[in-house]
Amino acid sequence: MLIDNHNRVINYLRLAVTDRCNLRCNYCMPEEGIDFAKRKDLFSMEELCRLSSIMVSQGINKIRLTGGEPFVRKDLMVLFRHLASLEGLDDISVTTNATLIGPYINELKSLGIKNINVSLDAINKDVFERITRRNQYETVYENLIKLISEGFNVRINCIALEGQNIEEIIPLVELTKYYNVSVRFLEEMPFNGGSKSFNTIKWDYKAIYEHIAKRFDAIEKLVSEKTSTSINYKIKDYKGTFGLIPSFSRTFCGSCNRLRISATGDVITCLYGKPRMNIRTLLRSENSEEKIKQHILATIGSRSKTGFEEQEKYKGVFNNSMTSIGG
Ligand code: SAM
Ligand code: SF4
C-alpha cells in the first residue's frame, strides 16, 4: 500500500496516455504554437501496460486514463484490455472529450468499463465550438447520449468560464432532469499553456452554487465519499445529480488520494506543483520494476500537505498546460 508523509493512502492513479489532442479548448491550450512532446518521449503501449501493472502491484486500485485526448491513441483499447485483466484494479475510468470514443463504446462496455467522464462546457453548439475551436459538436453530443443510454456511469465536466459559458450552467443542470448523469462544474485553473494568467476567479464553487440555487428550489445535498473532489447535489425528482469541484479553491487537499503520471513519465504528486521525478527513463533501464517502486515510495513520502503549500515551493507552475498534466 502507498501511504504518503501525511498518512494519506494513495490508491488512485491518473495516467496520461498522450499529450496530443484533436480539440483546442481555449482554457487548456493556446490555439497554436503548442510544444507537444517528441514521439520518442511518450510512453509506448507496451510501457503503459507494464507501468500500470507495476503501479497496481504497489497498491493502486483505481486508474483513470486521461491526456491530451486519450482516444487519439489508436492503440488505446490494448491498454483498456490489459487494465481489465489486472487483479486488484477495481476501478478503470477515462476522461475524454467524446469526439473519438464512438467506435469503442461496445468494447468498453464488454470489458466492464463503467465510469466515463465527458468534458462538455456547453450545450449550445456555437458556444461549444467557440470554446473548443473545432466543429465537433454533433459527434460529441451523439456519443454522449449513446454512452448514457448504454448504461455507463457518465459524469459531465464543465468549467465555469467567465464571459464564455455561464449561461450554459442552468441548461446543463436541466440535463439531469431527463438523464441519469452527474454534471460537475469545475473552477477554472490557470493551466492553459501560458495563454492567460490570473490569481483570482469570479466563478468559484460558491458563486456557481448561488447561481444554480437562484433557479432551483428543491436542492438536496448528497453524502459524498471522503476522497471525492466534488460536493454533490440533486434536484428533487430529477434523475441525475450535479456537483461542484473547487479545483481553484482547493478545499479537498486534506483527503487527496491521487498520483499523476504524465504521458512523458513525469510523476506529479500535486496539480499545483512541478514533477518530482521522471519514470520513463527508469522504465527503459535494467531492473526497472524495482527502481520504479523505490522512486515512487520516495516521491510519495515527500508530498506537500495542500496545493497552496506546493504552489509556494514551485513558482511558475501556472505556465503548464492541462494537456500535459491530464487534469
Ligand atoms: N481531453 C480529455 C478531456 O478534455 O476530457 C482529457 C484531458 S483534459 C486535460 C482533462 C480535464 O481537464 C478536462 O475535464 C478539462 O476540462 C480539464 N481542464 C483542462 N484545462 C483546465 C483548466 N485550465 N482549468 C480547469 N480544468 C481544466
Ligand atoms: Fe483537448 Fe481535453 Fe484540453 Fe480540451 S481539455 S484541449 S479536449 S486535452
Side-chain angles (χ1 to χ4, degrees), residues 19-29 67-69 96-97 119 132 321-323:
D19 64 345
R20 272 60 167 177
C21 188
N22 56 337
L23 300 185
R24 288 288 178 277
C25 303
N26 61 22
Y27 53 79
C28 178
M29 50 169 109
E69 172 48 38
T96 174
N97 62 28
S119 303
T132 59
S321 161
M322 272 300 189
T323 193

Side-chain angles (χ1 to χ4, degrees), residues 251-265:
T251 55
F252 45 64
C253 296
S255 56
C256 181
N257 64 341
R258 46 187 70 190
L259 184 70
R260 294 175 166 82
I261 301 182
S262 79
T264 55

Side-chain angles (χ1 to χ4, degrees), residues 210-312:
E210 278 160 25
H211 180 75
I212 296 171
K214 267 192 211 142
R215 169 68 179 73
F216 301 98
D217 298 326
I219 300 178
E220 300 162 17
K221 189 164 181 188
L222 303 172
V223 178
S224 304
E225 271 178 41
K226 189 171 157 268
T227 51
S228 171
T229 51
S230 58
I231 311 159
N232 300 300
Y233 304 89
K234 185 172 172 59
I235 295 167
K236 195 166 177 288
D237 299 329
Y238 279 23
K239 288 189 178 154
T241 62
F242 76 90
L244 307 170
I245 303 188
S247 32
F248 186 86
S249 307
R250 284 163 267 176
T251 55
F252 45 64
C253 296
S255 56
C256 181
N257 64 341
R258 46 187 70 190
L259 184 70
R260 294 175 166 82
I261 301 182
S262 79
T264 55
D266 283 340
V267 178
I268 301 163
T269 57
C270 174
L271 202 48
Y272 286 82
K274 288 245 166 84
R276 290 297 175 82
M277 59 176 279
N278 189 285
I279 221 171
R280 191 186 71 250
T281 28
L282 286 183
L283 198 64
R284 291 175 183 177
S285 67
E286 269 179 42
N287 293 329
S288 56
E289 181 162 346
E290 221 22 67
K291 285 187 205 157
I292 285 175
K293 285 185 171 173
Q294 281 169 13
H295 279 78
I296 290 282
L297 279 178
T299 306
I300 292 221
S302 64
R303 294 179 82 218
S304 296
K305 197 163 185 185
T306 66
F308 294 103
E309 188 183 312
E310 184 83 353
Q311 188 185 334
E312 274 305 301

